[in-house]
Every structure is written in C-alpha cells, then in structure tokens.
Amino acid sequence: MDAITVKNLTKKFDDLIAVNDISFTVKEGEIFGLLGPNGAGKTTIIKMLATMLKKTSGVARVLDWDVGKNPDEVRRSIGIVFQDPSLDDQLTGKENLDFHARMYGVRKKIRKERIEQVLNLVDLFGKKDILVNNYSGGMRRRLEIARGLMHYPRVLFLDEPTLGLDTQTRRAIWEHIIKLNHEEKITVILTTHYMDEADFLCNRVAIIDEGKILVVESPENLKNMMGEDIISIGVSDGEAFSKKLSSLNWIQGVSHGDGIINLSVKRGEEKIPLLINFAQKENLAVQFVSLHKPTLEDVFIDFTGRNIREENGSTKTLIRDMIRARTRK
Ligand SMILES: Nc1ncnc2c1ncn2[C@@H]1O[C@H](COP(=O)(O)OP(=O)(O)OP(=O)(O)O)[C@@H](O)[C@H]1O
Ligand SMILES: [Mg+2]
C-alpha cells in the first residue's frame, strides 16, 4: 500500500493557484521531500494531506483513507510538526507530551511508557522536567518531533524541520529523523528549501515551484541527470593550455573565461592529478584547481532556471551556464 496518493490535487486561494494539479505517491517507509522556494506551495500541500485545509479539486489519500471522506482516520494515522513553533513554553517537555497524548486519547499506562520512548528517541529524556521556556531551538524542535510521534502515527509530516537552526543542530535533527524512520518504521514527508537537507535525508524528492511539481526522483538520479563533474583550473598560459587539452580524449568539454578553464569530465577527482602532470610536462605552472560535482542546487537551477535563494556568484553563474549549455546539446 502507498502511504500517500496525490492525484491532480489543486488548491486555489481566490485567484491564486497555490497548488496546481500535482500528482505523486509516497511508498510506506520512505523519507520523501517536497523541495521548493518560499511560496512554492509546500505547506499548503502538507495542510491538505493533514486535513487542515480543504482541497479545491483532485484526490489526496493517506494510507487507506481519503482526506475528504475519512478525516478522522487520516488524523489518527499521522503526526505533524508545524513550520511555526507550537509548544507550550510554560509546561515542561514531559507535560507537553502528556497533554498531546491525552488529546489523542492515549491510555495512561501506555502514555507513560510512550513518553519515555519518544523522549529517548530524540535524546531529551534527561531534560524532561525542564520548562520548555528554557529549551534551546534545537531541543524545542526535537520535542516537537517527539510529540508528533506520541500516538504511534504511521506517517509523519515535518514542515521545514530545521528552519532557522545552526548547522550542528540541523545535523543532529537529521540523525534523529533517520533513526525514527528506521526504528519506528514510519513514513516521513518533509518540506524543505535546503538542498543539502533534501540530499541527505530523502529517498525521493519532488521539486516544486509556483505550485507545480517539476520532477520526482531520488537525489542520486537527479544529480546524475546533470552529467559530468566540472574541473576549474588556472595555469600560467591558459590560452596555450586549452589548445593542448584537445589531445586528451577523456575531456568532454572545455570553456575558457575570466582566466579560468572549465573542463567537464567523468570522475573528476581521478582526473585532477592527470591534469597537473599534463600541465607540468608542458612547462606550465598550475595556479589553482577546483572540482565541482553536480549538486541538487544545480538540478534545481536546471529545472527552474534560477537559484533557490535567487543569488548569483560569478563562478556559480559560469558553471550554471556551462551545465545549461551542455544539457541543451
Ligand atoms: N490561507 C491563505 N490564503 C491566501 N493565500 C495563501 C494562504 N496560504 C498560503 N497562501 C499562498 O499560497 C502560496 C503557497 O504558500 P505556502 O505557504 O504553501 O508556500 P511554502 O512553499 O510553504 O512557502 P515557505 O517556504 O515560505 O513556507 C503562497 O503564495 C501563499 O501566499
Ligand atoms: Mg511553508
């Protein structure tokens, strides 16, 4: 059985089409990512699946249940961690969980046991009696995840699970998400606009822009679509060097600009020493060399025509233009 089935799902807010005729399925046990920039429609999709928002048209199912026809069954099957903080600051960690469990009608004996279990899962057992007011940002996020798990949901929605957290805390949250996916056998649907997060966590990713799904694939396959690695190299006489490079048959493409020679090659890390040797034999001094492997960022740019944060670095732009030129061939 699929954990999530979405067919031709649309949500309109008056004239604005926030979610535009999207379809995808999520298999049980998967970590599935909705990746897109601000306003792409990610939260709106999650809210419709979680029965918090009525769809305009289309089909949305969670496990066996239709979100429109069986909202109670859907709610019992899912846990949700909202984009905006939603803990009670004046209660302890444990009290927050207890309150949530009571709302879901989890029985007293199970409640105690389950609170301990979920707190251990996110490494917060030792902090259970501290007021949430005194928790750090990362601890709050972990407690919210624990709370989402209290009633043994089979599907967990995480809306921007690491938004605003520092790098180390984000890493720790990622480890917890992977652990609960393994240990609780729970399907995870998360939204993010962080490329590295989608890449690290997700079995498959749907790239979303302006309410449309552009592609659904594994991060690995998406990156492979981008083709070769790019080596950027600077040598004492770039002009002479680029001409000589035509004798190397493992180079797929060469471009030259701003004193940098960009080469597209397969398995770039193995080609760097060969290039350095080659330059030395030609009596040319290598000034710098760097390797760029395709990232989800490149994939995003390729599908949407822009950076997810709409910023442009000069090398990045150069590389992006190369990738575009190559995929147009
Ligand atoms: N209740 C609402 N009424 C009107 N417009 C809405 C409503 N909720 C969302 N929208 C609009 O729908 C679009 C999608 O919003 P949504 O919150 O789903 O995006 P998102 O991908 O979650 O963005 P972010 O990364 O900023 O969280 C936006 O243009 C937003 O302004
Ligand atoms: Mg959102």
Side-chain angles (χ1 to χ4, degrees), residues 13 16 18 37-44 83 160 193:
F13 295 108
L16 177 87
N38 293 134
K42 305 180 297 290
T43 298
T44 307
Q83 185 167 351
E160 303 276 358
H193 60 270

Side-chain angles (χ1 to χ4, degrees), residues 117-289:
Q117 252 173 11
V118 295
L119 282 171
N120 278 324
L121 207 59
V122 296
D123 278 339
L124 278 179
F125 189 72
K127 307 281 184 189
K128 66 183 190 329
D129 296 319
I130 296 176
L131 285 186
V132 165
N133 203 16
N134 300 321
Y135 274 30
S136 68
M139 286 162 68
R140 283 164 190 257
R141 218 58 190 143
R142 271 145 60 201
L143 187 66
E144 285 179 316
I145 293 173
R147 186 182 57 182
L149 297 170
M150 270 306 292
H151 55 288
Y152 301 91
R154 284 167 64 191
V155 178
L156 181 67
F157 294 105
L158 302 172
D159 198 0
E160 303 276 358
T162 66
L163 189 67
L165 299 176
D166 63 74
T167 313
Q168 250 180 332
T169 311
R170 293 178 63 216
R171 285 245 152 213
I173 302 251
W174 293 354
E175 298 300 340
H176 287 301
I177 293 172
I178 287 185
K179 187 166 140 199
L180 67 92
N181 171 250
H182 284 170
E183 290 184 11
E184 300 258 316
K185 309 267 177 280
I186 195 165
T187 308
V188 178
I189 291 103
L190 63 92
T191 77
T192 186
H193 60 270
Y194 294 124
M195 301 289 167
D196 55 347
E197 182 158 290
D199 198 3
F200 186 87
L201 283 177
C202 299
N203 303 114
R204 285 186 309 140
V205 172
I207 294 185
I208 301 176
D209 197 26
E210 296 175 350
K212 280 263 178 210
I213 290 189
L214 305 179
V215 64
V216 183
E217 259 302 345
S218 69
E220 214 44 51
N221 286 349
L222 284 172
K223 286 185 283 185
N224 285 339
M225 282 181 202
M226 293 288 95
E228 300 90 23
D229 301 347
I230 293 168
I231 297 176
S232 302
I233 184 164
V235 294
S236 46
D237 185 349
E239 204 67 50
F241 189 59
S242 24
K243 279 191 194 130
K244 298 222 148 80
L245 288 174
S246 56
S247 64
L248 302 176
N249 60 6
W250 43 264
I251 295 176
Q252 328 269 318
V254 182
S255 81
H256 194 179
D258 287 352
I260 305 173
I261 301 163
N262 289 303
L263 311 170
S264 49
V265 299
K266 292 206 170 84
R267 288 200 295 276
E269 58 284 354
E270 295 171 11
K271 302 302 184 325
I272 288 176
L274 301 181
L275 270 176
I276 293 175
N277 279 343
F278 183 73
Q280 279 167 348
K281 270 193 202 134
E282 299 293 335
N283 286 323
L284 295 167
V286 176
Q287 292 152 336
F288 61 84
V289 57

Side-chain angles (χ1 to χ4, degrees), residues 21-74:
D21 193 27
I22 61 163
S23 302
F24 64 92
T25 55
V26 179
K27 294 187 208 86
E28 272 200 280
E30 257 190 310
I31 301 183
F32 187 89
L34 301 171
L35 174 70
N38 293 134
K42 305 180 297 290
T43 298
T44 307
I45 297 169
I46 297 274
K47 282 190 175 164
M48 284 190 280
L49 285 168
T51 75
M52 294 160 63
L53 196 60
K54 269 205 156 87
K55 61 187 174 1
T56 305
S57 59
V59 176
R61 294 176 70 81
V62 177
L63 300 165
D64 271 336
W65 314 110
D66 182 282
V67 294
K69 293 186 196 122
N70 308 95
D72 293 341
E73 285 81 357
V74 170

Side-chain angles (χ1 to χ4, degrees), residues 46-113:
I46 297 274
K47 282 190 175 164
M48 284 190 280
L49 285 168
T51 75
M52 294 160 63
L53 196 60
K54 269 205 156 87
K55 61 187 174 1
T56 305
S57 59
V59 176
R61 294 176 70 81
V62 177
L63 300 165
D64 271 336
W65 314 110
D66 182 282
V67 294
K69 293 186 196 122
N70 308 95
D72 293 341
E73 285 81 357
V74 170
R75 275 181 222 139
R76 269 199 291 274
S77 317
I78 63 169
I80 180 159
V81 177
F82 300 99
Q83 185 167 351
D84 300 318
S86 62
L87 292 165
D88 190 330
D89 266 9
Q90 300 309 317
L91 295 180
T92 65
K94 185 177 152 197
E95 285 166 348
N96 264 285
L97 298 185
D98 193 63
F99 180 72
H100 178 89
R102 282 166 197 256
M103 291 220 315
Y104 273 87
V106 180
R107 278 184 293 122
K108 194 174 173 190
K109 177 154 184 304
I110 301 176
R111 219 155 59 212
K112 192 160 171 280
E113 211 178 276

